[in-house]
Amino acid sequence: MDPFWREKQKKTGLSVENSNLLQSESGGEFVPEKAMIFDVERFSTEDGPGIRTSVFFKGCHLHCPWCHNPEGISFVRQLRFAPQKCIGCGKCAEICPVSAHGMDENGKHTLNRARCKSCMRCAGVCYTGALEAVGRTVTVEEIMKELLEDEIFYRRSGGGVTATGGEALCQAEFVAELFTALQARKIHTAIETNLCLPWKQIEGALEKTDLIMFDLKTMDSALHEQTIGSSNQPVLENIVRLGKMGKQMIARTPVIPGFNDSEQEIRRIARFLQKNAGPNLLGYELLGYHPLGCDKAEQLSLEQKDFSIPSREKLAILAAAAAETGLDIKTNGHTYIKERKE
């Protein structure tokens, strides 16, 4: 077991094998047959074909320094504080049973997270939304009721439902059950995943998935483990398995300056995909780093490194390197068109 995952297991009570057992919203015992999610985004057009609803599962066993959804890393509910929304009413301080909230001499809100017990009473009285509980548990029946509200839009647009996160496959049994229910109504299913989990844990969920959108961040296993907390060997092996299954896939690489933004590295990734992902690989996307996760991390009192944003010119150079393999390439959602020499 990776040292990072061992430490996360100590903190959360979860392991790769029992990651479907999640802490209840009251913070008590871990309960089965429910999922911890942190958002449901309706009318999404970026997470697969057509109009979709994206379900964001909470919890991820990796720790990418550039994570754009840091609220999806922890497996339990968290309190988010957006100071720009706070009007200094003091309601949170009045209701907090452990005096984690206060007001300084200038009437500015203060939050002592060391005292906070995550009861979320403060979020319940914060009508401006400055304090927000991130995470809720749902059953398949409960989330299906939400998802089916937009069933007509899925059918008219060729859309469906996407499981994302966090890492949705940390709750693979729930995803499999949810996708089974969706496919029974002929609703398209898709997943966004890092694929960095044991095959025996995720196989059932992937069998129920129509489109698999996965990350391949680097071919360098040592760099992957040093930077993210796990070897990339499960990712590579799972891509080969999916290629043999004939599953429709889209491969993605987040382009991170100083980590994987060289032509050599992108070329290595593209060659591996061209050789192993099979004819059902729909395309390879290069996604330039963006800093949107930094503000969200700050609202959770987490530290997150900020990287520089790759230029369009840089992405075009990397796309050209990837296109040498004959794969269909996109950069930030735009199709790369190789210059034709007459």
Side-chain angles (χ1 to χ4, degrees):
M1 182 184 293
D2 292 327
F4 174 79
W5 180 252
R6 186 180 295 111
E7 183 64 24
K8 186 173 285 291
Q9 180 180 353
K10 290 179 182 178
K11 292 179 180 179
T12 64
L14 295 176
S15 70
V16 169
E17 288 76 19
N18 72 353
S19 59
N20 265 358
L21 304 181
L22 299 170
Q23 192 177 27
S24 67
E25 292 188 17
S26 63
E29 295 181 356
F30 285 77
V31 294
E33 299 176 358
K34 288 190 174 183
M36 177 69 78
I37 65 174
F38 66 92
D39 198 8
V40 176
E41 183 178 303
R42 300 171 66 181
F43 294 94
S44 170
T45 58
E46 302 295 330
D47 300 324
I51 295 173
R52 312 188 69 81
T53 298
S54 296
V55 181
F56 290 78
F57 286 77
K58 200 168 187 328
C60 183
H61 56 300
L62 302 183
H63 59 107
C64 303
W66 52 83
C67 181
H68 65 281
N69 284 332
E71 70 272 42
I73 298 175
S74 172
F75 287 90
V76 298
R77 291 205 306 169
Q78 295 169 284
L79 180 65
R80 177 160 53 197
F81 174 55
Q84 69 275 16
K85 295 182 179 180
C86 180
I87 61 173
C89 69
K91 294 292 184 182
C92 54
E94 294 174 7
I95 202 170
C96 182
V98 293
S99 300
H101 298 276
M103 309 298 293
D104 65 17
E105 62 275 9
N106 298 317
K108 185 178 179 180
H109 173 275
T110 61
L111 172 59
N112 186 331
R113 288 194 179 269
R115 291 183 179 179
C116 180
K117 302 300 181 183
S118 299
C119 69
M120 304 300 171
R121 295 180 188 177
C122 55
V125 299
C126 183
Y127 64 88
T128 67
L131 292 163
E132 180 184 6
V134 181
R136 62 184 172 104
T137 55
V138 293
T139 64
V140 169
E141 291 75 17
E142 289 167 343
I143 194 63
M144 278 292 290
K145 185 177 180 180
E146 292 184 49
L147 298 176
L148 292 180
E149 292 179 5
D150 294 327
E151 185 173 11
I152 187 173
F153 298 107
Y154 310 150
R155 299 198 184 285
R156 294 285 180 87
S157 68
V161 173
T162 299
T164 184
E167 175 49 59
L169 290 180
C170 282
Q171 303 179 59
E173 290 182 19
F174 187 94
V175 172
E177 188 177 348
L178 174 61
F179 280 8
T180 298
L182 289 166
Q183 289 185 340
R185 299 186 68 94
K186 301 190 184 304
I187 295 174
H188 184 272
T189 59
I191 194 165
E192 296 180 323
T193 175
N194 58 47
L195 281 184
C196 197
L197 288 159
W199 180 251
K200 66 179 182 179
Q201 177 184 336
I202 64 178
E203 181 181 9
L206 294 178
E207 286 178 346
K208 298 296 181 180
T209 307
D210 296 313
L211 173 63
I212 300 164
M213 296 170 281
F214 64 85
D215 279 3
L216 180 50
K217 301 174 177 68
T218 178
M219 293 299 295
D220 188 327
S221 184
L223 179 64
H224 196 278
E225 184 163 7
Q226 175 187 350
T227 306
I228 298 171
S230 176
S231 164
N232 68 350
Q233 197 60 35
V235 183
L236 302 179
E237 293 174 357
N238 289 337
I239 291 171
V240 173
R241 291 188 179 101
L242 290 173
K244 293 178 180 178
M245 287 175 66
K247 284 287 185 180
Q248 285 198 333
M249 297 180 285
I250 294 175
R252 294 168 168 172
T253 296
V255 178
I256 311 299
F259 173 72
N260 63 1
D261 62 335
S262 70
E263 294 176 64
Q264 179 184 10
E265 180 60 28
I266 297 302
R267 192 177 286 114
R268 288 177 65 198
I269 294 173
R271 287 173 177 168
F272 176 86
L273 293 171
Q274 192 275 333
K275 179 180 178 181
N276 295 286
N280 287 316
L281 182 67
L282 303 182
Y284 176 35
E285 299 183 356
L286 300 177
L287 305 176
Y289 166 79
H290 62 71
L292 299 182
C294 294
D295 287 342
K296 293 192 285 185
E298 185 176 358
Q299 292 173 2
L300 296 169
S301 297
L302 302 174
E303 293 184 5
Q304 182 160 311
K305 182 179 179 179
D306 192 6
F307 296 83
S308 59
I309 299 174
S311 66
R312 293 178 63 180
E313 292 76 16
K314 178 68 172 181
L315 290 175
I317 291 171
L318 298 179
E324 293 171 6
T325 61
L327 296 177
D328 291 329
I329 310 298
K330 287 188 176 181
T331 59
N332 290 343
H334 302 289
T335 301
Y336 170 76
I337 302 175
K338 186 162 48 176
E339 290 185 15
R340 301 179 185 274
K341 294 184 178 181
E342 300 297 338

